[in-house]
Amino acid sequence: QSVLTQPPSVSGAPGQRVTISCTGSSSNIGAGYDVHWYQQLPGTAPKLLIYGNSNRPSGVPDRFSGSKSGTSASLAITGLQAEDEADYYCQSYDSSLSGSMVFGGGTKLTVL
Amino acid sequence: QVQLQESGPGLVKPSETLSLTCAVSGYSISSGYYWGWIRQPPGKGLEWIGSIYHSGSTYYNPSLKSRVTISVDTSKNQFSLKLSSVTAADTAVYYCARLSGSYVGWFDPWGQGTLVTVSS
């Protein structure tokens, strides 16, 4: 049971827009801690996709965007491409239990 | 650019201690940043293990704290993980990563990961 809750899977056709939610609580996202997103292609290490809720590292296409509101955050992908098929994870910090970095359970994106 | 590379035994016996090292290139650990370990059991999600500052201060996942030790060797520009009393549940791909934006920040970049299997 992850501290941050993500849908196990989402899907969309090429060119469509999909969103992935990340729901937390008052001790993590709701406490003001930033949310970060990672993309993990099959058999590879996670790669930073969004940091600080909505910032894209250099090299990440602007088709990827992030937002945060209250105790939740979202990752949006527009103009879906086959190469976007991957697992996506959100991450934040939780101030309970002496403090801990926490990840969502991950969402498998399938491009139909 | 900064690169990280994990190394260590791929097979550890139950009840023994798992030991891994993360070699950092392209950046001097002593210059700053937190550095962390994350693991991923086969077919499952990511779990943060712990992080260390270049000065040596550490903080650990409360669920693993009693078994984890992370240390840094600035002379070799590397940091290490020790996980004691391992069981099959500790079988996972172990990643090391740099932590940006302070101790509550984000992990970037990551090492390629190393699979550790706990089995007799």
Side-chain angles (χ1 to χ4, degrees):
Chain A
Q1 195 88 4
S2 301
V3 173
L4 303 179
T5 301
Q6 297 180 235
S9 64
V10 297
S11 62
Q16 285 190 332
R17 177 181 186 270
V18 297
T19 61
I20 298 173
S21 61
C22 176
T23 302
S25 67
S26 59
S27 61
N28 42 68
I29 299 175
Y33 293 107
D34 287 343
V35 178
H36 321 292
W37 292 90
Y38 303 88
Q39 177 192 60
Q40 185 175 34
L41 297 170
T44 68
K47 167 195 163 187
L48 180 68
L49 202 59
I50 297 287
Y51 67 95
N53 306 316
S54 59
N55 301 290
R56 280 187 312 275
S58 173
V60 173
D62 59 7
R63 302 186 296 105
F64 295 89
S65 63
S67 63
K68 171 189 162 184
S69 178
T71 58
S72 295
S74 289
L75 172 70
I77 310 172
T78 59
L80 209 54
Q81 299 180 4
E83 65 205 50
D84 299 332
E85 187 159 294
D87 293 324
Y88 293 84
Y89 294 90
C90 61
Q91 176 243 315
S92 186
Y93 179 82
D94 191 288
S95 59
S96 64
L97 297 176
S98 303
S100 179
M101 302 291 255
V102 290
F103 287 93
T107 298
K108 170 66 177 178
L109 168 63
T110 299
V111 181
L112 302 171
Chain B
Q1 75 278 22
V2 182
Q3 292 185 312
L4 296 89
Q5 178 69 58
E6 305 89 349
S7 62
L11 182 63
V12 180
K13 289 182 168 55
S15 80
E16 295 190 343
T17 296
L18 177 160
S19 296
L20 296 174
T21 296
C22 180
V24 178
S25 59
Y27 185 84
S28 174
I29 285 182
S30 58
S31 295
Y33 284 100
Y34 277 87
W35 305 83
W37 287 97
I38 304 100
R39 69 180 183 179
Q40 184 173 34
K44 296 187 178 181
L46 301 168
E47 179 182 35
W48 172 71
I49 300 170
S51 298
I52 187 165
Y53 194 46
H54 68 94
S55 62
S57 62
T58 55
Y59 68 118
Y60 301 130
N61 185 325
S63 68
L64 299 170
K65 187 175 182 178
S66 63
R67 299 194 291 132
V68 173
T69 301
I70 296 176
S71 59
V72 64
D73 187 337
T74 54
S75 67
K76 295 183 178 179
N77 214 39
Q78 64 186 34
F79 59 105
S80 299
L81 167 70
K82 290 188 186 299
L83 181 66
S84 63
S85 304
V86 297
T87 69
D90 295 310
T91 293
V93 175
Y94 285 76
Y95 297 101
C96 59
R98 187 175 72 174
L99 187 52
S100 295
S102 88
Y103 71 98
V104 300
W106 58 93
F107 296 100
D108 181 59
W110 296 58
Q112 66 182 30
T114 187
L115 175 62
V116 178
T117 301
V118 178
S119 175
S120 55

